[in-house]
Amino acid sequence: MKKLLGLIFIALLFLGCDNKDIASQKETQKSLFETLKAEKMGKESMVLEIGSSSCKTCVDMKKIIDDLKSKDATLPIHIIDVYDDMNAFRHFNIQMIPTQVVLNTKGEEVYRHIGGLSGEEMLRLVELSRKQ
């Protein structure tokens, strides 16, 4: 019995070490928002779809965006999950999800919509971002 408890303790100890390694890897990885902020915001116009994988309307929006991008991979639409990227949540002062934020080439917010949209409406937001 003591040997079994000892083995369980050692197994839990190793599992705990793996979780710390995963957590430290996640801390060192740049979030999508931080990557966009460093590499594209202020240089390219874009539409940010800020939502969550646990929100039904957000999941529906992801499907619509994935469909649009399967037809045109160059569309500047980026999906940000607020639970993976709280910096974007705070930066844009998100009150409800899903929220679409349209940014111009200067990185300025030119339009914001809260709620779900159709594919056509998303394409109109892309066009709006390009006109600014």
Side-chain angles (χ1 to χ4, degrees):
M1 184 67 174
K2 288 182 182 180
K3 287 182 183 181
L4 179 62
L5 289 175
L7 289 173
I8 292 172
F9 176 76
I10 291 171
L12 290 174
L13 181 64
F14 282 116
L15 288 174
C17 292
D18 288 341
N19 288 336
K20 289 178 188 174
D21 291 341
I22 291 169
S24 67
Q25 283 177 343
K26 192 168 186 173
E27 287 174 11
T28 59
Q29 292 174 346
K30 266 190 176 179
S31 68
L32 173 60
F33 173 68
E34 294 300 322
T35 301
L36 289 172
K37 198 168 151 186
E39 298 174 9
K40 294 187 178 192
M41 287 173 70
K43 299 171 189 149
E44 300 175 20
S45 62
M46 66 184 72
V47 178
L48 302 178
E49 166 65 26
I50 302 171
S52 164
S53 59
S54 63
C55 152
K56 182 183 179 340
T57 306
C58 303
V59 171
D60 293 342
M61 287 301 303
K62 182 179 181 327
K63 290 175 188 173
I64 290 167
I65 292 167
D66 287 345
D67 182 55
L68 291 172
K69 290 188 115 183
S70 73
K71 296 171 185 166
D72 182 358
T74 66
L75 286 173
I77 304 172
H78 305 282
I79 300 171
I80 297 175
D81 189 309
V82 294
Y83 294 113
D84 293 336
D85 202 338
M86 289 303 289
N87 289 334
F89 185 80
R90 286 188 283 275
H91 180 85
F92 291 106
N93 194 26
I94 301 300
Q95 301 299 313
M96 294 178 66
I97 55 173
T99 296
Q100 299 81 32
V101 177
V102 179
L103 302 175
N104 64 15
T105 55
K106 296 176 188 171
E108 300 166 334
E109 182 177 331
V110 295
Y111 184 77
R112 175 184 292 230
H113 177 267
I114 298 172
L117 294 172
S118 68
E120 285 181 12
E121 291 169 318
M122 282 302 294
L123 291 175
R124 279 190 233 136
L125 291 184
V126 169
E127 289 306 312
L128 177 64
S129 76
R130 290 177 174 161
K131 289 180 182 178
Q132 300 295 319

